[in-house]
Every structure is written in C-alpha cells, then in structure tokens.
Amino acid sequence: MHYEVSGSGTPVILIHGLFGNLDNLKALAKSLEPHFTVVRIDVPNHGLSEHWHTMDYPSLAEALISLIDQLGFDTVDLVGHSMGGKIAMATALLYPQRISKVVAADIAPVSYSPRHNEVFEAMESLSLEQLISRTAALSHLTSNGIDEGTAQFLLKNLQRNTQGFSWKLNLSGLKANYQHIIGWSIAADNKVEPYNKPCFFIRGGDSEYVLPEHKQQIMAQFPNVSVKTLYGTGHWLHAQKPDIFNRLVTEFLQKKPD
C-alpha cells in the first residue's frame, strides 16, 4: 500500500474516499502535522497502490493493520472520508485493540443504494487510446452527465504515458467490487462487538449520506460517539469548509479521555 508520512507525535492514518488518492486529505494532514505523525495512504485500487481483483472491507482492514505493523505502530487513530470512513470503521470493529479513535467524515456504517453508475459509465466510455488532451477528457465527462467539479476530481486519476493516457486507479476492479464498497455487513458477517472507544461522525448538512434513520445503526456499532453537522456543505465537506473541518478533527483527536 502506497503511503506518505509527515509530522511527529501520536500516529493518525488518513483514508480517502472512492476514486480518490492520498492527496485528498492533504490539507487536514498539514493541520495535524504539528501534533501527530500523519500517514496518508492510497487505498488499494487507487493511486499508486496495488490493484486488487477482490476488494471488501475485511480485506482492506487487514491490509491497513499490516501497514500499521510495517510502520511499527502499536495503536493509531483513523480518519476516513466516505469509503475511507467505512474502512476506518471496519478496522476499528475488527481490530479494536489497534485503533484508539475513529473519525468518519460523511458516511455511516450502513449499506447504500448505487449512486455512481453514471460515473462508471462516463469513465468507461472515455476512449483513452484516442484521447488527445485532458481538456478533451473533461469535455467528455461533462457531456456524459458529470458535473464539472466531480469531473475535475476524477481526472486527477488520469495520467499520460508513452501510449497516450491511462487511469491510475483500477477502474474495472472498482466496478467489479462496487457492491462491496457501498455495502456493509461487518457486524453481521464477523459477529464483532461494538467499538467502545471514541468515535466522531462529521456530516455535511446538505448531504444525504448520514441521515436520522442511520442513528440506530451508528449507536449499535459505535456507542461512544459524538456527531457534528457542518451546515452549508455537502459530501465534500472537508474541501468545502476545510478550516472548520480540520479544526474539529484536530480537537477531537487531541482530546484526552474523560
């Protein structure tokens, strides 16, 4: 698993969401570096990490624990956005002795209905062999129903090579495992106990990812939880209001147990 380390102090691992890479939470890393050893990772099938045929949360949690062992950490804090939040929660439930705190940004420990089919279709229909520029790629994505902000985000995965262009991420692997990514069966499949250490959910006020009907499932799996809503933000709350988001995460991670 590709990663970058900065700062010094208590270790915290930052985990990006679907279609992202380790740069997505770079601003948060800068805020945390004076107080923490910050590890930013490329999730498998993303960025410079290896491509997997099978990708599910138990496997991702195991890989994360292997990285923690490799880095020589006994326990770490985890911060994850969207899919990254699910990876953080799964790791905490499956390996509670290794995880001290969890921050889940705009995601709940529940199964979601598909909401990325249009993205997969737009990316798959982009002919990389005939692509002449990033501008042309942007035009293709926006003409296929992707808003410009999301398209620009997706195109961070586009790289030029000797044959033209290619995706850094494993697009076919992500699509094949998409039901695992939007699903959630950690507690049922693994008969795990609730994670009783501190957990912080930050949700976007305009987002539909963390809703009132999710409260019961959140409390059942993460009873020692606090929740904050960032009003005026959607799913990309860390990018829309970075100063507030970064401060809230830093304060939660620095807070001593009662």
Side-chain angles (χ1 to χ4, degrees), residues 86 89 108-112 182-184 209 213-214 217-218 221:
K86 279 193 166 184
M89 290 186 284
V110 301
S111 294
Y112 291 91
I182 62 174
W184 186 257
Y209 275 82
E213 53 262 38
H214 297 149
Q217 288 170 278
I218 291 172
Q221 297 171 77

Side-chain angles (χ1 to χ4, degrees), residues 133-154:
S133 68
R134 300 182 70 87
T135 302
L138 177 62
S139 177
H140 173 87
L141 293 180
T142 55
S143 66
N144 280 269
I146 309 302
D147 68 86
E148 184 165 349
T150 301
Q152 294 281 13
F153 168 73
L154 295 171

Side-chain angles (χ1 to χ4, degrees), residues 41 47 57 215:
I41 68 169
Y57 290 113
K215 180 179 179 180

Side-chain angles (χ1 to χ4, degrees), residues 142-205:
T142 55
S143 66
N144 280 269
I146 309 302
D147 68 86
E148 184 165 349
T150 301
Q152 294 281 13
F153 168 73
L154 295 171
L155 290 178
K156 292 179 180 179
N157 294 291
L158 191 66
Q159 61 186 356
R160 187 185 289 274
N161 54 36
T162 55
Q163 286 75 41
F165 289 90
S166 63
W167 294 114
K168 291 180 185 178
L169 52 69
N170 180 11
L171 186 58
S172 61
L174 292 176
K175 185 176 181 181
N177 291 281
Y178 184 59
Q179 289 301 319
H180 293 310
I181 294 169
I182 62 174
W184 186 257
S185 57
I186 297 297
D189 289 353
N190 297 278
K191 297 181 175 61
V192 296
E193 297 295 321
Y195 179 76
N196 290 305
K197 297 177 185 177
C199 188
F200 185 30
F201 282 73
I202 312 178
R203 63 179 294 273

Side-chain angles (χ1 to χ4, degrees), residues 220-239:
Q221 297 171 77
F222 300 94
N224 187 6
V225 65
S226 55
V227 181
K228 180 73 174 180
T229 299
L230 288 191
Y231 293 101
T233 67
H235 189 53
W236 304 98
L237 66 175
H238 60 287

